[in-house]
Amino acid sequence: MWQYTYLAINFFTVIICFLFSFHPKIKFHRHFIAFITASALVAVVFIAWDVWFTESGVWWFNDRYLIGKRLFGLPVEELMFFICIPFSCVFTYFCLDKFFRLDWKEDTERIFVILSITVLICLSIYFKLKIYPFFTFLTSAISLFILYFILKARWIGKASFIYLILVPGFLAVNGILTGSGLDSPIVNYNPEKIIGIRIFTIPIEDTVYGYEMILWNIFLFKKFKAKEVEPWDNNKKTA
């Protein structure tokens, strides 16, 4: 039974959001193609990162909680993680953005982004000898710079607030993965390659890792969603 633990985590992370995707007031299912395209592209990068860190011994997986199938050296459950977690997060962003006005003032958002980039760069320099925080903080700073200043993503503040709302779910899912409630962690971390500060059982770096991944998922989802042809567009063309 224990070998289905990681699989069950993925399933229960996504199932409620998936079912509500078909709600007539939400209709997120209309954007499944946009989401799948976006998440697949982001997953390619993060899976490559995952493979690299696994081979480098930054983290490894406990076979006790896995069904035993691997691809690129990673458990299939880990590959599913890069679809299931983004789905729930993007779905939440979509719903909150649809029903509430969460946009930030331009000046406030710019200050937030600049401060975040500055702090992340400083942290990456400070922890330059530890690969997980160094690489995570540095790439997150670069991602924020590219998204906000080059790609003109003017929703960073809103997305950051929604990510904060998602923290309890993040703590629950990642907590189990890192050992909360289990005899041993599903995902183990090399103590020499992380900061060592944990939220319960979760390395603090994981919060920034997840933040960066979700920002790119939202960005690409919005791009592909904007290119979709809605039913009323077809009507206009044929009218």
Side-chain angles (χ1 to χ4, degrees):
M1 183 181 71
W2 288 110
Q3 70 265 30
Y4 299 107
T5 303
Y6 198 170
L7 197 64
I9 291 171
N10 283 325
F11 175 78
F12 287 111
T13 296
V14 77
I15 186 59
I16 294 177
C17 294
F18 176 77
L19 293 176
F20 271 95
S21 296
F22 298 91
H23 192 285
K25 290 186 178 180
I26 299 175
K27 300 177 182 178
F28 185 73
H29 67 282
R30 293 183 174 181
H31 309 299
F32 277 179
I33 293 177
F35 167 76
I36 292 171
T37 307
S39 63
L41 289 174
V42 177
V44 168
V45 176
F46 278 81
I47 287 172
W49 179 349
D50 204 343
V51 170
W52 171 33
F53 271 26
T54 300
E55 292 180 348
S56 301
V58 178
W59 54 54
W60 62 94
F61 304 92
N62 189 337
D63 289 333
R64 179 186 181 189
Y65 303 104
L66 308 172
I67 60 175
K69 304 297 182 181
R70 291 184 180 248
L71 188 63
F72 310 119
L74 300 177
V76 293
E77 298 94 331
E78 179 76 353
L79 301 177
M80 293 171 62
F81 175 92
F82 293 105
I83 301 297
C84 294
I85 300 301
F87 184 91
S88 297
C89 293
V90 173
F91 173 80
T92 303
Y93 175 90
F94 177 84
C95 292
L96 293 178
D97 189 41
K98 183 181 183 74
F99 297 112
F100 301 97
R101 293 191 59 83
L102 300 174
D103 297 277
W104 288 24
K105 292 182 179 179
E106 184 177 347
D107 291 342
T108 303
E109 185 174 55
R110 184 184 301 109
I111 291 171
F112 170 78
V113 171
I114 292 173
L115 283 176
S116 296
I117 292 172
T118 302
V119 170
L120 287 167
I121 290 176
C122 290
L123 287 172
S124 69
I125 294 172
Y126 186 79
F127 293 108
K128 63 181 181 295
L129 298 180
K130 294 181 178 291
I131 189 171
Y132 189 21
F134 169 73
F135 192 75
T136 302
F137 295 153
L138 181 60
T139 58
S140 295
I142 294 171
S143 291
L144 279 173
F145 180 84
I146 293 173
L147 286 168
Y148 189 80
F149 291 104
I150 297 178
L151 300 176
K152 308 300 181 184
R154 294 298 181 261
W155 42 262
I156 298 294
K158 175 169 53 180
S160 301
F161 175 72
I162 292 173
Y163 186 72
L164 186 63
I165 293 175
L166 289 166
V167 163
F170 167 84
L171 294 178
V173 172
N174 232 38
I176 298 173
L177 289 176
T178 53
S180 296
L182 299 176
D183 294 335
S184 56
I186 298 174
V187 183
N188 297 269
Y189 294 80
N190 186 335
E192 296 182 357
K193 299 187 178 185
I194 63 174
I195 294 173
I197 299 174
R198 294 185 181 240
I199 304 174
F200 304 114
T201 56
I202 306 165
I204 192 71
E205 297 94 323
D206 277 7
T207 60
V208 181
Y209 176 92
Y211 177 66
E212 181 181 9
M213 179 174 68
I214 297 309
L215 286 182
W216 280 111
N217 269 277
I218 292 173
F219 172 76
L220 290 175
F221 171 73
K222 290 169 74 72
K223 285 293 182 184
F224 291 121
K225 176 176 171 292
K227 295 178 180 180
E228 292 176 338
V229 178
E230 298 290 352
W232 54 82
D233 291 333
N234 288 329
N235 293 335
K236 287 180 181 179
K237 291 179 181 179
T238 58

